Every structure is written in C-alpha cells, then in structure tokens.
Amino acid sequence: MSKSLQAIRGMNDILPAQTPAWRYLEGTLAKLLGGYGYQEIRLPILEFTELFARGIGEGTDVVDKEMYTFLDRNEESLTLRPEGTAGCVRAVLEHGLSGGGQVQKLWYAGPMFRYEKPQKGRYRQFHQIGVEAFNLSGPDVDAELIVLTWRLWKKLGLADSVSLQLNSLGSSEARANYREALVAYLQERFEQLDEDSQRRLTTNPLRILDSKNAQTQALLVDAPMLAEYLDEESKSHFEGVKARLDAAGIAYQINHKLVRGLDYYNRTVFEWVTDKLGAQGTVCAGGRYDGLVGQLGGKPTPGVGFAMGVERLVLLLETLELLPSELEQSADLYLCAFGEAAEVAGLSLAERLRDALPGLRLLVNSGGGSFKSQFKKADKSGARFALILGEDELAARVVGCKPLRDDAQQQNIAWDALAEHLAACLQA
Ligand code: ATP
Ligand code: MG
C-alpha cells in the first residue's frame, strides 16, 4: 500500500468542530473594526521576495531564517507572506491610497507562513488579523488601536487574562545611537553572550534585548537603556499615548526591552500578552512604522498597526472556556422521507419552507434509510421537530410533524399550512 498523504508539518487543518470558534472570533473583530471605521482590504498571499527583504529587513529572523521562498516557473523569486504589513503597504502605494495625505484605516485577515519550529501556539501556517492606519502621525491613533483591542478583549471575556506591554523605540536616529551604544557595551562582553546573541550583535543587536538566555539577560542588567536615548519628539509622543491610555482606564506596563522582531518599527511598540498559554504568550503585537512606506519607495507616510494571532486567541478562548455555548447551532428541523416519490416531494417542500422561513436550519435526510435509521439521524441532529413524509402523507398532502424534545403528540399538517405552523412552533 502506498504511504498515506499528510499535511505539511506545522500546517493545520481547521476541522468542522473548530470552525465555529474561528468564525466567532473573526466575526466579532470584523464587526468591531467596522464600528471604528476600519475597512477591509484583501491581499495576495504571494509577493515578490524583494518586498519582504526590503520591508521587514535583512538580519531579522523572519527574513533570514523563516521565509518560504521559491522560484516560480518564470525564475522569479516569490515568497509566501510571513506577515501582512509589507503587502498592505505595497497595495496602498500601488493604488495610490495614501497619496495627498489621505488617511487610510485598513484591516485584513488570513494565513501567514513562517518556517519555525512547530509547537503549541507556533505553527508554519498561522493566521493573523492585522490592522494598519496611514497618514496619521499623532499619538491619538496609536491609542485608538490599543483601545479597540481592549474593547475586543472585554467583548470576548479576556480582559482579565491579557496585559499590555508598552515601549517607545524613538526615532530611527535615536535608535541608531542606542544601537551603537548597546553594541559597544556587548562587544566588550562578547564571549559571555549566547551563540544566537553573538550572531545578532552584527545582524540585529536590539533583538538581543529579548533573548531568552539567562546569562545574556544577566549581562543586560547594566547595559545602556533605550529610554535614555529617546529624542524629545518621541518622548512627548509617548507621553501622549500614555495619557490617552490612562484616561481610557487601560493599564500597561512599560517594558524597556520590548523591541519587536521586525525591523520597521519606530516610536510606539506594544504587545498584549497572556500567561495562560505557556511560552507562546503574545496574542497581539504592533507599533508605529513611520519609515516603512518610504523604505518601500513611497513618499514618507506615517503608519501604525498591529497583528493578532488567531490560533493563539482561539486556544485562549478554548482554554478559558469562553466560547459561547450557542456557537454550535443545532438544526431546527429534520425532514425524513420514505420512498422515491416522497423524496422528490420532500425536496421541493423543503425549499418552500426555506423561502418562507429565512434563517431556518433544516436538514433533509440524505441517502434514504429505514424509519429507524432516519429517526436516529433526526435525533442526533439536535432538531426540535422531525418532519415525516411517507406514502400516506404524500397521498393526503400532509406532513407528520413530530416533536423530538418533549412528549407532545405528532400532528399531521397540510402542506399549505406547514410554514405558518412551524413558524409558531419554533418561536415557542
Ligand atoms: P513571536 O515572538 O511569538 O515569534 P513575533 O514577534 O514573531 O511573535 P509578529 O510578527 O509580531 O510575531 O506577529 C503578530 C502575532 O502573530 C504574534 O503576536 C502571534 O500572536 C502571532 N504569531 C506570530 N508567529 C506565529 C506563529 N508561527 N504561529 C502562530 N502565531 C504566530
Ligand atoms: Mg516570531
């Protein structure tokens, strides 16, 4: 026998038992974002590799180690998107959406791809819902993004399970100065750094700050601090963000070591983290990226955004048992038909019922079967009533209407009166 086929490691099927939770999360967020005036944009999953090399930056883990990159049949280097911001900026530029200082508030959802070590909360195909705002440079929009995520946590019942970490990276100049100071400090202690951090010292030194290595962390205690290098404008921008969060009653923790994995951030960066998921605790992360549009060939355009990890949020909702019980809606009705003629009449009767009762959840028995087997399926469907159509009912142009959840009597209802009868029964 040939070897059975399997999905690629780290790429998950989302099975019918799980899709209601996904729809619930995605639907809740889509509605909430609409309420803040954010519009959906749909973007390709494949982009030219250069977009990510330029946008995310060489020397980042994502670009150096995690991208799915290949040559297509035309020998062009393409990459499965590892994140959504670069593609969103590309689309905004390509269609002139940010020209003339136009404000854009956008969101998108979909799969992202990174070649990582699969584990709980970390996959190779995962899903993000991302939000981006363009041409707004003030702290008000940074705060708005955080406020709207806070509203989402409250809606989902997660407010007590997540906390906000906040930092400012300053201007790119301030960051460059800090980078120099940090590199000088760590260079003197090079031998004591873990291997990853030694490599990062030349490729992406700020990333050393969130190294998981204990010895490296000990070395960092006396290292220069990013906060000491902030320029005045960034400082007042940061104060503006904090003042708005304070006024909105949103608690946060300043985390001087929060630098984010992608190169393009400046000023505000934030993460929502939970301690309920083990090591993969960041459920939403974002920040300001005023330099990115320019870096990708556009006019300087301020930008700010975030992305949330859908798998981690679904996992969190499941772990905390916060999924509403009515997510898996059972059927209202199950139509049993016995014999070819009854099946034919049953199908068109079912369609008439769907016309008359929008939103009706009606399962029509498929594949025939005895009385016993059809009733078993009707019962299993969770339907409140079985509709029975056999030879006798067909001849009399009635349907047997049998309550499945209580001891009430079965009634025969004329076809013409059926919709009205069922509407009343189902309301009760
Ligand atoms: P991490 O530090 O966990 O690797 P990151 O900084 O690489 O995260 P971002 O690029 O900021 O993550 O992506 C935003 C969010 O997307 C993360 O906070 C997380 O919730 C989710 N995410 C990122 N990578 C993965 C992955 N491989 N599997 C599942 N979710 C992910
Ligand atoms: Mg990562």
Side-chain angles (χ1 to χ4, degrees):
M1 219 171 70
S2 62
K3 192 166 165 271
S4 63
L5 291 170
Q6 289 188 332
I8 297 166
R9 203 162 101 84
M11 306 210 174
N12 300 313
D13 299 308
I14 297 153
L15 299 176
Q18 302 164 299
T19 49
W22 281 66
R23 293 242 301 262
Y24 165 63
L25 176 63
E26 291 162 349
T28 305
L29 191 49
K31 207 165 147 204
L32 187 142
L33 286 165
Y36 283 81
Y38 287 72
Q39 294 179 299
E40 187 185 7
I41 183 166
R42 300 196 179 198
L43 303 159
I45 286 168
L46 272 178
E47 297 273 4
F48 289 118
T49 304
E50 191 195 347
L51 173 68
F52 303 113
R54 268 169 66 186
I56 301 173
E58 315 266 4
T60 57
D61 280 354
V62 170
V63 171
D64 290 357
K65 299 195 292 197
E66 297 176 356
M67 294 207 304
Y68 280 90
T69 297
F70 61 94
L71 292 179
D72 74 359
R73 290 172 195 276
N74 198 25
E75 303 279 303
E76 305 217 66
S77 181
L78 307 182
T79 293
L80 284 166
R81 63 181 183 192
E83 53 94 59
T85 304
C88 186
V89 168
R90 196 260 319 129
V92 162
L93 283 177
E94 190 167 336
H95 302 285
L97 301 186
S98 64
Q102 277 178 86
V103 168
Q104 291 290 344
K105 292 184 170 183
L106 304 171
W107 69 271
Y108 51 81
M112 307 292 161
F113 302 84
R114 297 184 193 177
Y115 194 81
E116 303 204 65
K117 196 169 152 223
Q119 53 200 286
K120 184 182 168 196
R122 188 176 295 287
Y123 311 102
R124 289 181 174 173
Q125 173 172 334
F126 63 98
H127 297 73
Q128 287 184 338
I129 297 175
V131 178
E132 320 284 354
F134 296 98
N135 275 319
L136 294 165
S137 58
D140 51 347
V141 67
D142 305 27
E144 176 175 87
L145 291 177
I146 294 172
V147 163
L148 76 82
T149 50
W150 175 240
R151 179 164 298 280
L152 178 70
W153 310 141
K154 285 191 290 187
K155 260 198 160 102
L156 296 173
L158 291 173
D160 293 334
S161 308
V162 292
S163 63
L164 177 62
Q165 309 240 316
L166 198 61
N167 194 19
S168 174
L169 301 178
S171 63
S172 54
E173 234 173 45
R175 227 172 126 187
N177 292 338
Y178 172 68
R179 184 183 155 122
E180 219 171 278
L182 182 69
V183 170
Y185 173 88
L186 291 175
Q187 199 73 60
E188 282 172 25
R189 294 155 183 87
F190 187 80
E191 295 307 324
Q192 292 156 267
L193 287 173
D194 63 280
E195 214 177 294
D196 243 3
S197 298
Q198 289 184 343
R199 186 178 50 79
R200 283 185 172 138
L201 198 55
T202 39
T203 57
N204 196 356
L206 294 198
R207 261 305 240 187
I208 299 174
L209 293 179
D210 66 9
S211 161
K212 304 273 187 291
N213 185 286
Q215 197 183 327
T216 297
Q217 276 305 330
L219 274 186
L220 287 169
V221 172
D222 295 320
M225 297 238 295
L226 183 52
E228 295 157 4
Y229 285 76
L230 287 194
D231 52 297
E232 286 309 315
E233 264 185 84
S234 296
K235 267 189 207 163
S236 78
H237 184 99
F238 198 36
E239 290 309 316
V241 175
K242 289 190 284 185
R244 284 167 175 81
L245 297 182
D246 292 337
I250 299 176
Y252 52 84
Q253 235 184 339
I254 305 292
N255 176 354
H256 293 295
K257 291 187 177 151
L258 182 64
V259 290
R260 310 286 307 110
L262 314 180
D263 234 6
Y264 48 59
Y265 290 105
N266 68 311
R267 291 200 176 152
T268 318
V269 288
F270 66 92
E271 287 193 0
W272 285 100
V273 294
T274 176
D275 57 6
K276 309 281 195 297
L277 289 181
Q280 269 55 250
T282 303
V283 291
C284 173
R288 184 162 276 286
Y289 49 84
D290 295 333
L292 180 61
V293 177
Q295 204 169 306
L296 291 176
K299 280 213 201 97
T301 303
V304 56
F306 67 75
M308 34 184 92
V310 179
E311 280 82 356
R312 290 184 195 178
L313 283 168
V314 169
L315 210 55
L316 189 57
L317 292 170
E318 283 169 357
T319 306
L320 300 175
E321 299 183 7
L322 289 170
L323 292 167
S325 55
E326 68 273 11
L327 279 187
E328 274 167 74
Q329 286 189 322
S330 46
D332 298 316
L333 306 171
Y334 192 101
L335 188 135
C336 307
F338 303 98
E340 171 87 13
E343 279 182 15
V344 170
L347 186 66
S348 74
L349 194 62
E351 289 308 303
R352 273 161 52 197
L353 287 178
R354 292 183 210 281
D355 288 339
L357 305 171
L360 180 70
R361 292 184 304 269
L362 163 59
L363 305 191
V364 175
N365 183 72
S366 305
S370 65
F371 266 100
K372 202 174 151 200
S373 86
Q374 292 200 33
F375 275 121
K376 215 165 147 185
K377 287 194 272 182
D379 192 48
K380 215 176 141 203
S381 76
R384 289 172 59 195
F385 299 90
L387 301 182
I388 299 151
L389 202 53
E391 272 174 31
D392 294 347
E393 287 83 4
L394 197 56
R397 300 182 71 81
V398 297
V399 168
C401 187
K402 181 178 164 56
L404 295 173
R405 308 296 150 200
D406 55 41
D407 295 333
Q409 284 295 303
Q410 178 174 330
Q411 281 178 283
N412 278 345
I413 311 292
W415 291 356
D416 288 339
L418 188 59
E420 208 174 319
H421 174 77
L422 288 172
C425 290
L426 290 172
Q427 288 231 315

